[in-house]
């Protein structure tokens, strides 16, 4: 009998603390019947009946969608589940959005083509002069390397062998 009384006392204390945290954590705009501070005082001062009154009269109604648990596996992209995410209301809005995306992509492609053409023209204008200078440098480098090879071919060691 003592164990039952002890168990009920502990259960009552746990329930009282749970309800106190529930009152403190609830949204003040959704609390029913009395203001939130009044419910906190009632729960604190009337430990046996305060929590019961809170559950019956003051606790805000819970959203059934949230209390039922998850409907399935989490979405692969959680950013799609934000409440403020813009979604097309009608197929016409969806088509208009896609049309604007296509137009923007086409404008970007056109700008990229113009940029490439401009760079190609600049390269062609600079090209003959740069190519002539580059070719002259290449030919002189080749001549210098050829002369070095010929010089090394004629060299002999003191032993009489060529390197």
């Amino acid at each position: 009998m003592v164990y039952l009384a002890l168990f009920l006392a502990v259960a009552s204390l746990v329930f009282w603390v749970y309800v106190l945290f529930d009152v403190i954590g609830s949204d003040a705009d959704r609390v029913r019947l009395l203001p939130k501070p009044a419910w906190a005082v009632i729960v604190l001062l009337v430990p046996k009946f305060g929590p019961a009154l809170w559950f019956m009269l003051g606790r805000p109604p819970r959203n059934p969608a949230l209390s039922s648990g998850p409907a399935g596996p989490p979405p692969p992209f959680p950013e799609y589940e934000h409440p403020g995410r813009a979604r097309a209301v009608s197929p016409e809005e969806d088509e208009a959005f896609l049309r604007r995306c296509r137009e923007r992509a086409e404008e970007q492609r056109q700008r990229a083509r113009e940029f490439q053409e401009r760079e190609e023209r600049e390269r062609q204008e600079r090209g003959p002069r740069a190519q002539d200078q580059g070719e002259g440098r290449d030919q002189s480098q080749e001549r210098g390397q050829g002369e070095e090879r010929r010089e090394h071919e004629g060299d002999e060691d003191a032993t009489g062998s060529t390197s």
Side-chain angles (χ1 to χ4, degrees):
M1 189 68 165
V2 176
Y3 292 116
L4 180 62
L6 184 63
F7 175 74
L8 290 176
V10 170
S12 175
L13 180 66
V14 168
F15 182 63
W16 178 71
V17 170
Y18 171 77
V19 170
L20 186 60
F21 277 98
D22 192 35
V23 169
I24 292 170
S26 63
D27 188 18
D29 296 335
R30 298 185 63 211
V31 173
R32 298 181 292 167
L33 197 62
L34 295 173
K36 184 175 164 179
W39 279 112
V41 169
I42 290 172
V43 168
L44 278 171
L45 296 179
V46 187
K48 299 281 189 234
F49 296 108
L53 290 173
W54 165 253
F55 268 97
M56 288 187 291
L57 303 174
R59 190 173 193 202
R62 298 291 179 207
N63 189 353
L66 293 177
S67 63
S68 66
F77 302 103
E79 60 271 11
Y80 291 165
E81 299 302 316
H82 290 295
R85 181 175 175 259
R87 294 184 179 171
V89 178
S90 66
E92 292 81 27
E93 287 181 9
D94 197 27
E95 287 298 321
F97 171 75
L98 292 174
R99 183 175 17 80
R100 287 193 308 269
C101 286
R102 287 186 200 108
E103 290 170 357
R104 198 171 3 165
E106 190 55 43
E107 289 172 8
Q108 290 172 351
R109 285 188 201 106
Q110 183 63 32
R111 275 186 271 152
R113 279 189 222 113
E114 291 170 0
F115 182 75
Q116 286 176 345
E117 290 171 0
R118 191 177 330 121
E119 282 196 348
E120 186 63 32
R121 280 192 303 257
E122 290 173 0
R123 215 177 293 126
Q124 287 176 355
E125 290 171 0
R126 284 183 284 152
R129 283 178 266 150
Q131 286 177 355
D132 291 342
Q133 292 172 357
E135 287 176 4
R137 218 176 308 126
D138 291 342
Q139 289 174 357
S140 64
Q141 287 175 353
E142 286 177 9
R143 269 189 252 125
Q145 290 174 354
E147 291 172 3
E148 287 177 13
R149 272 191 234 122
R150 277 187 239 117
E151 289 173 4
H152 287 295
E153 288 173 359
D155 288 346
E156 291 184 8
D157 304 341
T159 59
S161 64
T162 60
S163 53

